[in-house]
Amino acid sequence: MKPNRNFSNYNYQIRKELGRNRQGGRITYLGNHLNSEQEVVIKEFRFADNDSSWTGFQACEREVQMLQKLEHSGIPRYLDCFETETGFCIVQEYKQAPSLAEIKNLSPAEIKQIAVKILEILVYLQAQKPPIIHRDLKPENILVNSTAPLAVTLVDFGFATGEGDVTSSSLIKGTVGFMPPEQLLNHELSLASDLYSLGITLICLLTQTKTNQVGKLVDENYRINFKQLCPNFSRKFLEWLEKMAAPNPKQRFPNAATALKALQPITVVKHSWQDSFKQKQPSFVFGLTSLTAFALGLGITIASLQQSYTEIAAQQEVSFSSEELSEYTNCPGCSLAGANFQGKNLRDAQLEGANLEGANLKGANLSGANLRGANLRGAELQGADLTYAQLHGVDLTYAQLQGAKLQNSELEGADLSHAQLRGANLEKVSLRDTKINYATQLTDKWGLVWRIVNNGAEGIDLKNVDLSGANLNFANLRWANLEGVNLAGAYLQGAFLEGAQLRNASLFAANLEGANLQGANLENVNLREAFLQNADLENAYLYRALLQEAMFYDANLRNADLQDAEIAEANFQGANLENTTMP
């Protein structure tokens, strides 16, 4: 809803409210200039409001004076200000980008880019005369546009001040958890003060900690013990970050320029298994440079030599010592693509978000492992033990899971498209929101296998399995046992369900457009708000089914049994009800 404010007299139109600070009496709007149509941010300070304060008004005045002299691509340009009947407004350039508080799952490389960009802005601010200290650096005040390279913007200079300023006000200005100790204690600020806030912001990104929960990471000495939460980041980067967030300003970098110079050469991510591989290459694999003349003398091309080099390297098994294996089993986000863990004990491994694409995990013990969001695309998992594993959102497309043990694992939101599942044990598996499009084979809890055609499992026993939200369009589920299965919100357009056992199943709000349900047992099934346009339910048994608000447009219900079914507000427009037993 558009805010009830009119700034047309000042040549601006409000489009929507972006936020408000009641303590400061400030409301921020997105608007546009009436003549140029330029999108702008309008900060209105209502000093006449009962809940506003003159301290906030003075802060806004100071912000205007500060912004007027700043010109940097990472700071929104000051455009205008004007007085209103209740206060005054500041107008700035609008940067269309989400804040760091809204962005999830940034890569280590992106986190470093953001750190570099903010430090470059701080270098600019600290070069002003007098140097400017932002005083409220936090995820909400950093906007990031995911371009290449990332575009980073620092906003909200309402609390900004000059170096060495000490306010006589008892009001602490900033955000608790991100303010350095000297700011909390109203002591003199320095060029190292904003570095503390940036350090805490980066730690929040690394540990995925929300702004209002940062206090949980800070001990009584205002020190954050975060290293154990970032096992996949390099030691040098964590030491740099620890120096940034040191409680004592004398232990931090003295200014942004020094911090930036120290950061730039640092590799953020801990070495991957490929680095170990390069160090373990056999002595008979010679360097290409030393073999060039010899190769040319034999008429061997450099391209073929490179290919041979690659093939030889690929044939060497990467072996891990016990210490290395321990490192890689506690390595969230690690790059382990193509690594060889065949037969290894990775029980309870912490590999959330790890890249294991094409990895060899045949016969590996991954029971209880945390693989949430991991990339296992094309991985070899034949005979692997994945019992009780956390596989939420994991990418298992084209994975080889023949004979894998998946009992009691959590596969919510996983992608099993084109996966090989012959002989896999899926007993008590949660498949909520899972995609199994075009998976080639699937088994029931007794190891019996049915061929899947176009993401189907003809005759399969999926009793009581959770498939809510699953994509099963055109699935072949003829004569399948789906008793008690949860298919709420599932996509079953054009699915083949003739003769399927769906007694007590939930198909609440499922999409069954054009599905074939001839002769299916739908006793006591929940089809509330389901969409069944053009579905074929001839001879289906719908005794005591819940059909409220279901849509049967042009469906075929010939000879169907709806005895004692609940059909309030169900829509049978155009449906074939010949010989149908109605309630």
Side-chain angles (χ1 to χ4, degrees):
M1 185 174 67
K2 185 182 289 187
N4 187 24
R5 296 292 287 162
N6 188 344
F7 292 147
S8 58
N9 291 340
Y10 309 99
N11 232 6
Y12 294 101
Q13 179 183 36
I14 293 176
R15 289 168 53 185
K16 66 178 180 180
E17 184 177 312
L18 296 175
R20 62 174 62 210
N21 180 341
R22 291 190 179 278
Q23 184 181 13
R26 183 164 63 184
I27 304 174
T28 305
Y29 304 103
L30 172 63
N32 57 271
H33 193 278
L34 289 175
N35 294 335
S36 66
E37 291 297 322
Q38 178 185 3
E39 287 188 313
V40 297
V41 170
I42 303 171
K43 295 179 183 178
E44 180 191 20
F45 182 76
R46 299 184 181 182
F47 59 82
D49 285 359
N50 293 330
D51 57 355
S52 65
S53 69
W54 280 102
T55 303
F57 173 70
Q58 291 163 357
C60 248
E61 280 190 319
R62 187 168 58 249
E63 186 176 359
V64 170
Q65 296 168 3
M66 191 118 16
L67 290 172
Q68 283 177 326
K69 63 179 184 178
L70 297 181
E71 188 173 346
H72 189 282
S73 60
I75 301 170
R77 285 186 299 113
Y78 167 81
L79 299 173
D80 192 8
C81 71
F82 54 87
E83 295 183 7
T84 68
E85 297 163 347
T86 57
F88 72 87
C89 295
I90 304 171
V91 184
Q92 281 182 270
E93 175 187 19
Y94 173 61
K95 296 279 189 175
Q96 187 173 4
S99 76
L100 279 182
E102 305 170 71
I103 301 173
K104 307 296 179 187
N105 301 320
L106 288 164
S107 69
E110 289 172 329
I111 291 174
K112 180 178 178 180
Q113 284 184 56
I114 291 166
V116 168
K117 294 286 187 183
I118 291 297
L119 283 170
E120 288 173 346
I121 296 171
L122 293 181
V123 168
Y124 170 77
L125 293 174
Q126 293 177 5
Q128 301 302 305
K129 298 185 183 302
I132 294 172
I133 300 172
H134 187 276
R135 287 208 299 175
D136 198 20
L137 209 157
K138 59 183 179 180
E140 284 78 359
N141 285 338
I142 298 172
L143 310 182
V144 177
N145 197 333
S146 57
T147 55
L150 294 178
V152 179
T153 306
L154 180 61
V155 301
D156 200 346
F157 283 72
F159 294 152
T161 187
E163 183 188 14
D165 281 2
V166 181
T167 177
S168 59
S169 170
S170 60
L171 177 66
I172 296 175
K173 299 174 182 178
T175 302
V176 175
F178 294 84
M179 287 187 285
E182 63 268 27
Q183 188 172 341
L184 274 169
L185 298 170
N186 258 354
H187 290 175
E188 184 175 307
L189 303 180
S190 71
L191 300 184
S193 297
D194 279 340
L195 300 187
Y196 178 91
S197 304
L198 176 57
I200 301 299
T201 296
L202 295 172
I203 289 169
C204 285
L205 296 184
L206 266 61
T207 60
Q208 296 189 4
T209 300
K210 295 180 180 179
T211 299
N212 59 3
Q213 295 176 343
V214 69
K216 295 179 181 179
L217 300 175
V218 184
D219 63 23
E220 58 186 8
N221 296 317
Y222 300 106
R223 187 178 296 277
I224 290 186
N225 298 310
F226 64 93
K227 287 184 177 180
Q228 72 279 8
L229 303 175
C230 310
N232 56 318
F233 286 83
S234 69
R235 175 179 56 82
K236 287 187 177 181
F237 179 66
L238 296 181
E239 288 175 352
W240 177 88
L241 198 51
E242 191 173 44
K243 189 175 178 71
M244 290 281 288
N248 186 339
K250 294 180 180 179
Q251 295 175 349
R252 297 177 213 144
F253 296 102
N255 52 50
T258 307
L260 178 60
K261 185 177 180 180
L263 172 62
Q264 285 172 328
I266 292 176
T267 300
V268 177
V269 182
K270 186 185 292 184
H271 71 84
S272 66
W273 75 271
Q274 288 94 336
D275 299 320
S276 299
F277 179 80
K278 290 172 186 176
Q279 296 168 9
K280 297 171 184 288
Q281 286 179 22
S283 58
F284 59 81
V285 181
F286 301 108
L288 290 175
T289 303
S290 63
L291 284 175
T292 301
F294 176 71
L296 293 175
L298 294 177
I300 302 172
T301 66
I302 294 297
S304 64
L305 188 61
Q306 289 174 326
Q307 182 179 357
S308 299
Y309 180 89
T310 303
E311 289 173 353
I312 293 171
Q315 291 170 6
Q316 309 308 310
E317 180 176 335
V318 183
S319 58
F320 296 99
S321 66
S322 298
E323 183 179 350
E324 287 173 326
L325 189 61
S326 175
E327 178 182 348
Y328 292 123
T329 55
N330 185 20
C331 201
C334 275
S335 176
L336 298 165
N340 188 346
F341 289 109
Q342 183 171 353
K344 299 295 185 183
N345 184 3
L346 301 170
R347 184 183 180 92
D348 298 321
Q350 298 299 310
L351 291 164
E352 183 172 0
N355 180 10
L356 287 152
E357 184 171 357
N360 182 354
L361 292 154
K362 293 178 183 177
N365 182 358
L366 287 156
S367 59
N370 181 359
L371 289 156
R372 288 171 176 258
N375 178 7
L376 283 158
R377 184 181 178 88
E380 297 183 66
L381 288 150
Q382 297 95 322
D385 186 350
L386 289 152
T387 53
Y388 294 97
Q390 298 178 49
L391 297 162
H392 302 258
V394 70
D395 184 353
L396 283 161
T397 52
Y398 297 97
Q400 306 293 314
L401 286 152
Q402 297 95 320
K405 300 174 184 176
L406 288 152
Q407 302 98 301
N408 297 289
S409 62
E410 300 176 9
L411 275 159
E412 289 94 332
D415 192 344
L416 287 157
S417 303
H418 302 279
Q420 297 282 341
L421 289 154
R422 178 169 183 159
N425 192 331
L426 290 163
E427 184 177 1
K428 297 182 180 177
V429 170
S430 175
L431 291 167
R432 183 183 180 89
D433 298 324
T434 301
K435 287 178 67 178
I436 56 172
N437 306 53
Y438 309 104
T440 56
Q441 289 183 328
L442 196 66
T443 97
D444 68 3
K445 61 185 178 182
W446 295 286
L448 302 176
V449 181
W450 286 269
R451 181 71 181 172
I452 296 180
V453 181
N454 290 341
N455 186 36
E458 185 170 351
I460 196 168
D461 189 337
L462 291 170
K463 183 176 179 179
N464 296 321
V465 168
D466 188 345
L467 286 164
S468 52
N471 185 344
L472 293 161
N473 291 335
F474 304 102
N476 176 11
L477 292 160
R478 294 180 175 95
W479 307 102
N481 182 1
L482 297 164
E483 183 174 354
V485 72
N486 182 5
L487 283 159
Y491 296 90
L492 288 152
Q493 291 172 273
F496 301 96
L497 290 153
E498 302 101 302
Q501 173 59 263
L502 284 154
R503 185 173 179 270
N504 297 320
S506 175
L507 286 155
F508 173 75
N511 187 342
L512 288 146
E513 181 180 3
N516 190 337
L517 289 149
Q518 288 185 12
N521 184 353
L522 295 158
E523 181 182 352
N524 207 37
V525 72
N526 182 358
L527 278 163
R528 294 188 61 174
E529 300 181 30
F531 188 70
L532 293 128
Q533 184 172 3
N534 292 315
D536 191 346
L537 291 134
E538 187 168 352
N539 297 312
Y541 186 61
L542 289 150
Y543 177 68
R544 290 185 177 175
L546 302 178
L547 307 175
Q548 294 100 317
E549 300 181 62
M551 288 165 277
F552 291 93
Y553 304 125
D554 301 318
N556 179 15
L557 286 154
R558 186 171 179 269
N559 297 320
D561 188 348
L562 275 67
Q563 186 178 349
D564 291 337
E566 296 287 343
I567 62 171
E569 298 184 54
N571 193 323
F572 293 95
Q573 184 178 347
N576 181 356
L577 299 173
E578 183 181 350
N579 297 323
T580 301
T581 303
M582 298 298 287

